[in-house]
Amino acid sequence: GGGGGGGGGGGGGAHAPVVAFQSQLAELAVQFYHTALRLLQADIEADLVPAILEGDFSDPTKHAAERRRLFGAFNEWHEVLKRHHVRERIATQFFQQAVRNAAAFLFNHLLTRRDLCSCGNALQIKMNASALEQWTAEKSIDAKEQLAPLMQAADVLVMNKSLLIEESHRLEACPALNAAQLKRLLELYQPDEYDPEAVHPGVLQELTRAASASAAACPLELPLYVRRLDVHLGRDVTFDLSNVPVPPFVTQRDGFSFLLPRAVGHDDDPW
């Protein structure tokens, strides 16, 4: 019995290096994932606001170049993941997170721009955001939930604002937005040729009351925050890549320097 137990312990010890390598490889994969997300965000950040928020409903060609670059960046990254045989489930999660980050960035920017909060501009926002949703659908990626706050903000700017007095209508039309966010959007709203009516003061009063009542139970956030996968990455993980051929995409992007041998890469910790 004792000998059998000793043999079992020896077997477990034999597998320890394999388990340790699997753990290190998983940590490296997570680091690669988040670095790729940051690089994609860097690629699209300058074009996001003009491509999605700053269109002109009467002139669809306005900011067409920014939209081409935006979708070109998404296409490039989709091709990179496909070319390197990233599993479909991981690629889907990658683009869902990228779209969620982009939508939150755009939503928060919208809350600071009175000139963008009009019915006509909201119609253009809906068209541009729908184009992004269509891109994800064509790639078999469901991003409706990720785009919901931005799409619902545009809906609020287009709809009959008086309906927002009723909580039931708010829950039906814009469940992803809280009362504080709705109040901010309507405070910024500018009448235009598509909807010349100003927001009735009673709507703002009701949203102020609703926001105060909700905040008493749970503080309401005005900006939209995005949760990131929180994974501890071991700082002491090292790999000998001196004899491993490195794909050009990795060598050409500084963000992936952690994958390169120290003689080729940088000593900086990318995190």
Side-chain angles (χ1 to χ4, degrees):
H15 289 295
V18 176
V19 173
F21 176 75
Q22 288 176 335
S23 176
Q24 292 175 349
L25 192 60
E27 290 176 340
L28 182 63
V30 171
Q31 190 172 357
F32 186 99
Y33 178 93
H34 288 307
T35 299
L37 270 175
R38 288 205 307 271
L39 290 173
L40 171 55
Q41 182 172 332
D43 286 346
I44 67 176
E45 189 166 351
D47 292 318
L48 269 176
V49 170
I52 305 297
L53 298 185
E54 293 181 345
D56 187 339
F57 193 59
S58 61
D59 181 12
T61 64
K62 187 177 181 180
H63 294 307
E66 287 88 345
R67 285 192 289 274
R68 283 195 298 270
R69 287 196 298 266
L70 176 64
F71 287 101
F74 274 108
N75 282 323
E76 178 186 359
W77 277 93
H78 187 268
E79 181 59 30
V80 165
L81 299 189
K82 182 178 179 181
R83 186 165 64 246
H84 292 286
H85 308 288
V86 175
R87 289 187 177 182
E88 183 178 351
R89 178 176 60 84
I90 301 300
T92 296
Q93 178 181 317
F94 176 86
F95 283 106
Q96 285 177 331
Q97 184 70 57
V99 171
R100 186 185 296 273
N101 292 349
F105 176 83
L106 291 166
F107 177 85
N108 292 337
H109 189 84
L110 186 62
L111 294 183
T112 69
R113 294 279 300 274
R114 183 180 298 275
D115 60 309
L116 298 180
C117 293
S118 65
C119 180
N121 200 71
L123 291 171
Q124 187 63 45
I125 291 173
K126 285 172 65 67
M127 289 179 59
N128 295 336
S130 294
L132 181 54
E133 184 179 336
Q134 181 179 351
W135 182 90
T136 60
E138 290 172 353
K139 301 296 188 287
S140 301
I141 300 166
D142 184 359
K144 286 188 174 67
E145 179 184 347
Q146 286 71 29
L147 285 167
L150 181 63
M151 296 288 276
Q152 290 175 23
D155 288 338
V156 166
L157 296 174
V158 171
M159 68 184 292
N160 180 353
K161 317 300 184 291
S162 297
L163 294 175
L164 296 173
I165 288 182
E166 297 293 334
E167 183 180 10
S168 59
H169 288 153
R170 296 198 296 270
L171 292 175
E172 180 179 352
C174 44
L177 306 181
N178 63 45
Q181 292 164 340
L182 290 173
K183 177 175 178 284
R184 177 62 174 169
L185 279 172
L186 297 190
E187 285 174 339
L188 295 174
Y189 180 74
Q190 294 289 293
D192 64 4
E193 59 182 308
Y194 299 99
D195 183 5
E197 292 188 18
V199 178
H200 192 279
V203 178
L204 292 174
Q205 291 172 3
E206 172 57 25
L207 289 174
T208 299
R209 186 205 63 77
S212 298
S214 298
C218 179
L220 296 181
E221 299 288 357
L222 189 59
L224 190 64
Y225 292 100
V226 178
R227 293 185 59 189
R228 199 195 88 162
L229 181 63
D230 186 15
V231 179
H232 173 69
L233 302 176
R235 304 286 177 165
D236 56 347
V237 176
T238 58
F239 293 88
D240 181 9
L241 301 177
S242 58
N243 296 318
V244 178
V246 182
F249 182 79
V250 172
T251 61
Q252 294 167 5
R253 302 298 293 261
D254 289 341
F256 289 120
S257 60
F258 67 92
L259 292 174
L260 302 175
R262 287 302 180 182
V264 178
H266 305 289
D267 291 332
D268 297 335
D269 187 337
W271 296 95

